[in-house]
């Protein structure tokens, strides 16, 4: 059974940093691209960042480019999102999502339960 | 960036209704279009990928159609568990973008 478990969310002050983690199980992790998708309170879905199966290619939304860094450790079946210089508008539930079906790496067939990041003083 | 626009934003409906949600892309995206369902407090669930392919385990009352810039999600006979918010998403090019969502609610 595919499982994705996010951790690392919490309350952080503006300007602070946070690292989110996603623990994957139930599939051959290194074979699949992965992404982070966020949802601000009461709002819609926003793709944040993606990474290829090998980790050799990374992709970012313009809104986080230069501020967030995605990475993965295939030996540990883990994906990470390092978030720096956080602002109130980064407050959201952050989901870890697995790509899998069809040819596009943005087809997310499994999602974690999400971890809440709150940026506030 | 490719903008995705859904209509309507809210859709009052009754059990048994045939429901259609529309999604329009700001440029042609071929068939690189997915549909997700999200219930309150839960993660999204993939329903349809590549515009018309039904994800494994999804009931056949869900169907998708379209290509280029105009797409539709149809629920042939709305069931109680289908009241939720639906999002379209393009995967033609990064950044992968979502529509603003359509909330299917009880009439």
């Amino acid at each position: 059974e595919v499982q994705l478990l996010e951790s690392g969310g919490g309350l952080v002050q503006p300007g602070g940093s946070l690292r989110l983690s996603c623990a994957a199980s139930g599939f051959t992790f290194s074979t699949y691209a992965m992404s982070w998708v966020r949802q601000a309170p009461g709002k819609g879905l926003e793709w944040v960042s993606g990474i290829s199966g090998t980790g050799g290619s990374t992709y970012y939304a313009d809104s986080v480019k230069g501020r967030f860094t995605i990475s993965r450790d295939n030996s540990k079946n883990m994906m990470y999102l390092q978030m720096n210089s956080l602002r109130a508008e980064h407050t959201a539930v952050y989901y870890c999502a697995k790509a899998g079906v069809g040819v596009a790496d943005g087809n997310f067939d499994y999602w974690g339960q999400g971890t809440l990041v709150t940026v506030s003083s | 960036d490719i903008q995705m626009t859904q209509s309507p934003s809210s859709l009052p409906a009754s059990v048994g209704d045939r429901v259609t949600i529309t999604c329009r892309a700001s440029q042609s995206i071929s068939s690189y279009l997915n549909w997700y369902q999200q219930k309150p407090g839960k993660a999204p669930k993939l329903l349809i990928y590549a515009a018309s392919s039904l994800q494994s385990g999804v009931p056949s009352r869900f169907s998708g159609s379209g290509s280029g810039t105009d797409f539709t999600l149809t629920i042939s006979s709305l069931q109680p568990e289908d009241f939720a918010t639906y999002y379209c998403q393009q995967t033609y090019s990064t950044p992968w973008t979502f529509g603003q969502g359509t909330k299917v609610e009880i009439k």
Side-chain angles (χ1 to χ4, degrees):
Chain A
E1 178 192 6
V2 172
Q3 290 194 333
L4 300 171
L5 185 62
E6 303 96 336
S7 61
L11 176 64
V12 60
Q13 292 189 339
S17 297
L18 213 54
R19 188 176 85 150
L20 305 184
S21 299
C22 173
S25 61
F27 63 102
T28 306
F29 183 66
S30 61
T31 301
Y32 295 94
M34 300 288 293
S35 277
W36 291 97
V37 178
R38 68 184 177 188
Q39 187 168 36
K43 303 298 184 182
L45 301 170
E46 180 188 14
W47 174 79
V48 172
S49 182
I51 188 167
S52 64
T54 63
S57 298
T58 57
Y59 313 90
Y60 298 94
D62 287 346
S63 58
V64 305
K65 204 172 293 184
R67 194 183 301 270
F68 290 7
T69 302
I70 192 171
S71 62
R72 66 190 295 161
D73 184 341
N74 286 344
S75 69
K76 297 181 178 179
N77 287 359
M78 296 289 294
M79 179 178 67
Y80 306 99
L81 186 68
Q82 178 67 43
M83 305 187 294
N84 297 331
S85 304
L86 286 164
R87 302 196 293 231
E89 56 262 38
H90 297 133
T91 294
V93 173
Y94 285 74
Y95 293 101
C96 163
K98 168 189 170 291
V101 63
V103 299
D105 284 345
N107 296 351
F108 304 131
D109 59 354
Y110 287 93
W111 298 63
Q113 85 291 346
T115 187
L116 176 62
V117 172
T118 303
V119 184
S120 175
S121 55
Chain B
D1 297 1
I2 298 174
Q3 307 303 316
M4 306 301 294
T5 304
Q6 289 181 231
S7 61
S9 296
S10 175
L11 181 52
S14 301
V15 173
D17 284 354
R18 181 180 181 88
V19 167
T20 298
I21 299 169
T22 297
C23 179
R24 175 165 288 176
S26 59
Q27 66 181 73
S28 178
I29 58 170
S30 184
S31 296
Y32 290 91
L33 191 284
N34 302 326
W35 290 98
Y36 297 87
Q37 175 194 67
Q38 188 180 33
K39 297 181 179 179
K42 300 295 186 181
K45 173 186 175 182
L46 179 64
L47 300 176
I48 302 285
Y49 65 95
S52 61
S53 295
L54 193 67
Q55 172 66 352
S56 176
V58 174
S60 58
R61 63 180 180 272
F62 291 93
S63 64
S65 64
S67 67
T69 60
D70 294 314
F71 302 86
T72 59
L73 172 70
T74 300
I75 309 172
S76 60
S77 178
L78 196 67
Q79 298 302 298
E81 60 268 30
D82 299 337
F83 290 99
T85 300
Y86 294 83
Y87 294 93
C88 63
Q89 176 214 16
Q90 65 81 18
T91 56
Y92 181 79
S93 65
T94 57
W96 298 312
T97 46
F98 292 86
Q100 81 280 14
T102 295
K103 186 175 183 179
V104 177
E105 50 194 8
I106 299 173
K107 183 185 288 185

